[in-house]
Amino acid sequence: MKQKPDRRSFLKNVSVAGVAGTLMPTEIISASENRAATTTNNNLKNATGRKYNDIYTGDYLNRVAFPLGGMGAGMFCIEGTGSISHMSIRNKPDIFNTPEVFAAISIKGLKNGAKLLEGPVPDWKKFGQRDAGNGSGGATTGLPHFHHARFKARFPFALIQLTDEELPIEVEITGWSPFIPTEDDNSSLPVAAIEYKIVNKGTSPVDAIFSFNAKNFVAVDDGKNSINKTANGFILSEAGTKEKPFL
């Protein structure tokens, strides 16, 4: 009768097998990993129907948020639909901060001619956000949007195309950051840009008004801009002067 190995022998065998695994040639491991990665990418392509680094459309736009802003200088995001979100200022990340900032167009004499220059609103914003059951007061979710959006990421550029069967125009949005390889000073400027290009695809002239609208999301304390926080042991007043020692 063959004797069963005791616990010490089992652990010894496991340890030897583990050491043998770490001594395998890196070429063999790399080849195995490459084959696994290729298989995974092929399966992902077949399952999703979207190629790697290709254009985002439809449901693939739901969670796209392209960061804009200099490195280490604060940021905001332009989403795959063209909306502004993740407004992070005052030296802290604020990824859930979505102020009412939007571009819009109004075409004179055209039914349904006034719309935000943004693609369809993802469903999770309509039903999954706080106060969504009460209509999401103060948000732009319920305003008319373009029916179709296409997004392409080409860092540092975010490229968005908007189309709508009800409008004779096509909108191209380009968001970009001041990124210059090997130049850390210029790449860290607190700057981001969004460009809007509106093209008339119809056969007759269009009389339209473009507007860019923003709530004052920089204001604090009901617009007084007082900071009410300590800095170097002092309390800062509205004008930023030192009133009295805090400590």
Side-chain angles (χ1 to χ4, degrees):
M1 182 176 179
K2 188 176 180 180
Q3 186 178 2
K4 295 182 179 179
D6 58 13
R7 185 168 179 268
R8 184 182 297 274
S9 300
F10 174 76
L11 294 176
K12 182 179 179 180
N13 293 335
V14 171
S15 299
V16 172
V19 173
T22 60
L23 296 178
M24 289 178 63
T26 56
E27 290 80 3
I28 297 176
I29 296 176
S30 298
S32 176
E33 289 179 348
N34 289 335
R35 286 195 298 269
T38 301
T39 302
T40 300
N41 288 337
N42 288 337
N43 291 340
L44 181 61
K45 176 182 175 181
N46 294 334
T48 62
R50 178 185 171 275
K51 297 180 180 179
Y52 172 75
N53 207 29
D54 201 0
I55 296 173
Y56 293 81
T57 60
D59 292 340
Y60 295 110
L61 295 171
N62 287 352
R63 294 289 182 175
V64 173
F66 191 95
L68 299 176
M71 296 186 301
M75 70 105 188
F76 65 91
C77 289
I78 184 167
E79 299 189 358
T81 59
S83 62
I84 306 299
S85 63
H86 302 71
M87 185 66 68
S88 299
I89 57 177
R90 299 193 181 94
N91 302 307
K92 67 176 183 179
D94 197 357
I95 59 175
F96 297 107
N97 183 19
T98 306
E100 291 79 59
V101 179
F102 61 92
I105 192 169
S106 178
I107 300 178
K108 184 178 180 180
L110 183 65
K111 182 179 180 181
N112 300 325
K115 296 189 178 187
L116 272 62
L117 299 188
E118 300 176 10
V121 179
D123 287 342
W124 67 268
K125 286 189 176 183
K126 303 174 187 175
F127 306 107
Q129 297 287 81
R130 177 180 297 178
D131 197 39
N134 293 323
S136 300
T140 61
T141 305
L143 298 179
H145 291 64
F146 273 64
H147 290 166
H148 308 287
R150 294 161 55 89
F151 175 84
K152 181 168 64 174
R154 294 295 183 266
F155 183 84
F157 299 99
L159 308 171
I160 301 170
Q161 181 187 59
L162 302 177
T163 57
D164 195 305
E165 296 85 352
E166 296 180 329
L167 304 179
I169 61 172
E170 178 180 285
V171 180
E172 298 176 5
I173 306 174
T174 303
W176 54 275
S177 300
F179 180 80
I180 304 174
T182 73
E183 294 191 18
D184 53 341
D185 288 339
N186 289 329
S187 299
S188 300
L189 293 174
V191 175
I194 302 180
E195 304 174 10
Y196 293 86
K197 180 181 178 181
I198 303 172
V199 180
N200 182 7
K201 292 294 185 178
T203 57
S204 58
V206 171
D207 187 2
I209 297 176
F210 168 86
S211 65
F212 191 87
N213 312 273
K215 180 181 179 181
N216 186 5
F217 56 86
V218 181
V220 295
D221 293 342
D222 297 326
K224 298 179 181 178
N225 286 330
S226 59
I227 299 179
N228 292 335
K229 292 185 179 180
T230 62
N232 299 326
F234 289 85
I235 297 176
L236 300 183
S237 67
E238 297 177 9
T241 57
K242 299 177 179 178
E243 289 185 339
K244 57 183 180 180
F246 178 72
L247 299 178

